[in-house]
């Protein structure tokens, strides 16, 4: 997710872990401000 911005094809999008990873990738960091 960090390198491509999306989950790999083998990942199950229905798992809550995938949701957590995608949400963390979308969240802004303090360094951006």
């Amino acid at each position: 997710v960090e390198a491509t911005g999306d989950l790999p094809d083998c990942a199950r999008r229905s798992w809550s872990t995938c949701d957590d990873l995608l949400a963390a990738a979308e969240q802004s960091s303090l360094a951006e401000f």
Side-chain angles (χ1 to χ4, degrees), residues 1-32:
V1 174
E2 187 175 321
T4 62
D6 199 13
L7 296 170
D9 293 336
C10 62
R12 293 188 182 212
R13 295 181 182 272
S14 60
W15 288 353
S16 63
T17 306
C18 292
D19 287 338
D20 294 343
L21 288 172
L22 290 173
E26 290 179 2
Q27 189 174 19
S28 301
S29 68
L30 288 175
E32 294 177 17

